[in-house]
Structures are given as structure tokens and as C-alpha cells.
Amino acid sequence: MSGQRILFVDRDGTLIEEPADCQVDSFAKLRFVEGMIPALLALRDAGWQFVMVSNQDGLGSDRFPREAFEGPQALLLQLLESQGIAFREILIDESLESEGRSTRKPGVGMLLHYLRDRSLDLAGSAVVGDRETDLQLAANLGCRGFRLGQGGETWASVAAALLAGPRQAQVERVTRETRVWVALDLDRAAEPEIATGLGFFDHMLEQVGKHGGFTLRLRCDGDLHVDEHHTVEDSALALGQALRQALGDKRGLDRYGEDGFAGAITLPMDESLAGAALDLSGRPCFVFEGRFPRAEVGGLATELVPHFFRSLCEGAGMNLHLRVRGENTHHMVEACFKAVARALRQALRREGTGLPSTKGAL
């Protein structure tokens, strides 16, 4: 939809660095997070508006006097305004977590008027913070969420992601054997919605969306009266095609992902271990190491597990190395899907706006 996009911005740990005691209650503690001002200026120039949303535990109490907060806060706002960055609104919740108020993030009590404002493009808006509660707030608002630090996003990658536009795709693949529909949003996490007629296969595809950190919806009506081969193969091809389409020209892409290949295999599923390394290179290649103890699990032939990933590589133009060992076939198969999903999560990250290839194309 068209409408005003809002960036809901946390304060401590996002705009300014958070000290060890978690309170910016003196001017000496006021330090900007690296890259914040250039990113906000770029977003402002692209038409974004900013709303500060912050939990300030016990503000106004003896432990955190209001006057100790107001001085650094006023200086922060003045410095940002001097650079041309102003906030549409500043929302501060002063409660403690133990009080359980709806106004405290990730609750939306302070933001109900934005949920009701039809002039906003809330789905196209975003939340930026440094905690899991900020990502939960984004989910509660129905918009994208970005978490800074701890191996996650930087302000540069957030701005690149928001300015580059959404990475979304819808693909329908129709043959005489199957009809598959896939929808992806690589920049927004949501609960997967899968329906293929094969319960165990649905469960495995759910791992791809959940642990890949993106929105995945897939439906397949296949010739299961014959067997499950065409359903598995065509679902993989359609999913791969959707991945390729959503990635576009791949600018800003991290490109490579690995889970378990830097040393020992590291993704466990009880007694089973799996590892995956992939490259969104545009060149399909699949290498598999492993042997399943059983020929079938949950109505799915285990020979179709490597076939699924080979077909996924063909559709996506992806290079994937996958290996697994274990004793329980269910655990081994699930570990494979989770390891690939985690490697995808890493490879799909955006890092700036450049193309990750000396060839000039991917």
C-alpha cells in the first residue's frame, strides 16, 4: 500500500550506546552508536519519519531521578536536530517489567494510534532496536524488525535493507503432476504456512522458514496417489525459483552461509549432527555426505531428502554442501533442513549495497 512509512527507533543501545548499568543518567555516558546519523539522514531523505520508542525502567524513582534522564535526553535531541534529524513523536514507558503494562515494549499500548492510522504504510514501516523485545514489537505491529549488535545488523545494513526495498516473490509452478504456489518475504520473519499433503514434509519446510528467519508460504496439490516424488521435487524447484526472484540482482547480499563447516559439524538434533555450507552464486551445485538408517520416515522416502536439496539448488542457482550423521532417521532429516535454513539465514543478510562478486554479476 502507499502511505507514510515510520521507523520506530529504540534509544539505548540503538541511538546511543547503553552503559553497563543500563542507565544514561549523566552527560558523560552519552555516546552515539556508530553509523546512526548517516543512516537516519539517508532514510529521512527517502521520506521516512521517526518515532522514538523506549523503555526506561523506573524513570522518576529514587534509583533513576527524572532530572538525571532529562539532561542527556535533551542534548541527544538537540544534537540530532542540528543534523536535520527530528522525531515525529517520542514515547517513553517508565514502568518496570514486573508491572506487566501494555505500554511497555513489546506491548503496543503506546502505539495504538499508529495501528489505527490508515494514512500510514505500517506493513512497510520498521522497528530498529538492540533487544529481542524490539523484534517482538515489530511482529506485534505487523512490520519489519532489525536488531543491532551481537552479530546482527549495523545501521549501514539497516539503511541498505530499507532503501533497497523489500525482497519478495510469488511463484506458481503448474505441471500435469503438481500445482505449487510459493510466497516469500526475505526481510520479514513470520510463522511458516505450509500445506503439501505430506505432514512430515510440511514439518521440514516449516524449519526452512522458521530457522531461515523469513516469511515462507507454500501450497502444493500433487499426485500423491502415485507417490510423493513429484510433490517434493516441484516444491523444491518452486521454492528455489522464488528465492532467486526475491534476491533480484543480489546487491548488498552477504552471499555465503555456513553452519558447521568451520571445524566440527555443529547443528545437533539429539544424537544427530548436520552441517551446511552454501553460496548464492547463481551456479547450481549440490554435494551430499550421509546415509539414512531407514528408507522412509513419516511417509517420505529418505532418498528424496538429497533430491529435494538438489532441486532447490537448481531452482535457486545455489551451491550447497550438506552432510549429516546420526542414528535416528527423523532427527537426521530434520537436522539437515535446520542446518540449511541457518546457513541461508546468514547468506541472505544484507551488508551495504555492493555486489559480492569480482565478476560484476551473480
Side-chain angles (χ1 to χ4, degrees), residues 259 265-275 291-293 323-339:
D259 191 286
I265 301 175
T266 57
L267 195 141
M269 182 73 182
D270 292 353
E271 89 300 335
S272 300
L273 291 168
R291 182 183 295 272
F292 298 108
R323 62 188 181 188
V324 65
R325 72 169 187 256
E327 300 175 0
N328 183 291
T329 303
H330 182 130
H331 294 164
M332 293 173 68
V333 173
E334 186 164 342
C336 285
F337 276 83
K338 286 180 175 178

Side-chain angles (χ1 to χ4, degrees), residues 139 188-194 206 209-210 214-218:
R188 185 176 175 186
E191 289 300 313
E193 299 177 17
I194 311 295
E206 287 170 356
K210 184 69 173 181
F214 53 82
T215 299
L216 170 59
R217 292 183 289 161
L218 186 149

Side-chain angles (χ1 to χ4, degrees), residues 6-11 14-16 32-52 76-77 79-81 83-87 126-128 148 154-160 162-163:
I6 305 291
L7 192 67
F8 299 97
V9 189
D10 178 47
R11 195 188 83 136
T14 305
L15 295 173
I16 55 179
F32 286 178
V33 170
E34 183 179 355
M36 177 266 294
I37 288 179
L40 290 182
L41 287 174
L43 291 166
R44 179 206 64 183
D45 292 344
W48 287 73
Q49 293 183 355
F50 309 124
V51 173
M52 184 187 296
L76 166 65
L77 297 177
L79 288 169
L80 291 178
E81 287 174 4
Q83 301 302 307
I85 300 168
F87 291 91
V127 175
V128 181
L148 300 180
T154 65
W155 268 111
S157 68
V158 170
L162 294 176
L163 294 173

Side-chain angles (χ1 to χ4, degrees), residues 271-301:
E271 89 300 335
S272 300
L273 291 168
L278 62 84
D279 176 11
L280 297 170
S281 62
R283 303 184 304 276
C285 180
F286 177 64
V287 178
F288 179 69
E289 299 176 33
R291 182 183 295 272
F292 298 108
R294 292 167 49 195
E296 177 271 335
V297 57
L300 178 70

Side-chain angles (χ1 to χ4, degrees), residues 101-143:
R101 294 188 184 179
S102 64
T103 52
R104 182 182 174 86
K105 290 187 300 181
V108 297
M110 293 192 295
L111 299 166
L112 292 176
H113 51 300
Y114 290 102
L115 289 168
R116 297 172 181 141
D117 190 342
R118 300 299 180 185
S119 69
L120 302 180
D121 179 6
L122 199 56
S125 297
V127 175
V128 181
D130 67 319
R131 298 174 184 258
E132 182 63 29
T133 50
D134 295 301
L135 297 182
Q136 294 172 12
L137 176 64
N140 292 340
L141 290 173
C143 64

